[in-house]
Amino acid sequence: DNVVGVAFSPDGKYVLTGSYDKTARLWDVQTGQEVRQFVGHTDRVHGVAFSPDGKWLATASSDKTVRMWDATSGKELFTLQGHSAWVWTVVFSLDGKWLASSSDDATVILWDPATGQRKLTLKGHGERIQGVAFSPDGKRLASAGHDRTVKLWDAETGQELLTMKGHTRLVSNVVFSPDGKRLASTSGDLTLRLWDTTTGQETLTLKGDGNGYVAFSPDGYRLASTGADQTVKIWDAMPRSPESTR
């Protein structure tokens, strides 16, 4: 069965995967051996995430739920119910205070991972939300919609702050720069776009196979992107062409 979600533990010793076989699995990086299975979802597991302290795991599934797990024992702690369609992505804020999930129901839900209680439901997109990311300070949240927009939200109040338009097809992923001043998004239009998080203005368009994952380097000067052409492209934050293709 397809493995579609992956996350490193904060200490780098383990990898968590989510699969179409309805399970999440924990693997030892050194040995490659399976350490633990997390069984409970009734449909495909899409997104997986570790809490920043490594004590909890979160999983997102086609069964319309998010589940919280004890990373050490494998015990299910909470089933988070609130979405009305497939759940694609789960992500913790860097301080571990909040968990966000995105769904086919065109909403993002913010949860308290300590209690399993829903805090906020963010509504504004017109179609599926696939990618979601917290700003480094945890005060804002970005979402990538199949309605071709990127939205920025206040994570405390749920207020929509900005809508960024420019992509001509669905937006699949979004990520903040390390300083929180920029957003990078990938899309089915095969572009990677950078946005100013204060003004919402597009600052750069990088053309290539951009409908995959994207990540900033720790210093924020470079971007890495994946695509269907089975390459990883490394981009400078300013020029219009990739530095290298690997």
Side-chain angles (χ1 to χ4, degrees):
D1 289 304
N2 290 359
V3 176
V4 290
V6 64
F8 267 103
S9 62
D11 62 10
K13 294 180 180 179
Y14 302 98
V15 166
L16 179 67
T17 58
S19 171
Y20 280 11
D21 69 4
K22 308 176 188 178
T23 71
R25 300 174 189 240
L26 193 66
W27 307 84
D28 186 296
V29 170
Q30 288 292 328
T31 67
Q33 296 298 306
E34 180 181 315
V35 177
R36 193 167 294 110
Q37 286 191 32
F38 301 87
V39 180
H41 283 292
T42 59
D43 209 333
R44 300 172 177 178
V45 176
H46 296 288
V48 295
F50 272 95
S51 63
D53 62 9
K55 294 180 180 179
W56 298 331
L57 310 176
T59 52
S61 171
S62 298
D63 66 11
K64 306 177 187 178
T65 70
V66 173
R67 298 184 189 233
M68 291 286 302
W69 312 82
D70 183 291
T72 302
S73 69
K75 179 183 177 182
E76 183 180 322
L77 302 174
F78 305 109
T79 298
L80 311 183
Q81 296 179 313
H83 286 295
S84 60
W86 288 16
V87 190
W88 287 99
T89 307
V90 281
V91 60
F92 284 92
S93 58
L94 290 182
D95 60 6
K97 184 180 179 182
W98 304 113
L99 177 74
S101 57
S102 64
S103 169
D104 265 358
D105 65 12
T107 70
V108 173
I109 297 181
L110 267 65
W111 312 86
D112 182 341
T115 65
Q117 296 299 305
R118 175 165 43 176
K119 178 197 177 189
L120 293 169
T121 300
L122 310 182
K123 298 180 179 180
H125 282 285
E127 296 181 45
R128 171 197 295 180
I129 303 170
Q130 193 160 337
V132 63
F134 278 100
S135 61
D137 62 8
K139 295 180 179 180
R140 295 169 298 169
L141 190 84
S143 54
H146 280 212
D147 60 2
R148 300 178 291 181
T149 69
V150 175
K151 290 183 182 288
L152 192 65
W153 311 82
D154 186 307
E156 288 297 321
T157 67
Q159 178 184 357
E160 183 180 319
L161 302 174
L162 295 168
T163 297
M164 286 152 270
K165 298 179 180 180
H167 284 295
T168 58
R169 295 189 67 185
L170 63 88
V171 188
S172 51
N173 283 287
V174 65
V175 63
F176 278 90
S177 62
D179 62 7
K181 294 181 179 180
R182 292 171 294 162
L183 278 171
S185 58
T186 59
S187 168
D189 65 13
L190 305 185
T191 68
L192 191 161
R193 298 177 190 243
L194 270 68
W195 312 85
D196 185 300
T197 58
T198 300
T199 66
Q201 294 298 306
E202 182 181 330
T203 60
L204 189 61
T205 301
L206 303 171
K207 296 181 179 180
D209 190 3
N211 192 25
Y213 291 96
V214 62
F216 275 96
S217 61
D219 60 12
Y221 289 120
R222 291 181 175 83
L223 285 162
S225 64
T226 65
D229 61 359
Q230 300 181 340
T231 66
V232 175
K233 291 183 172 67
I234 308 299
W235 306 84
D236 190 286
M238 298 302 294
R240 301 278 171 166
S241 59
E243 286 185 343
S244 62
T245 301
R246 296 178 181 175

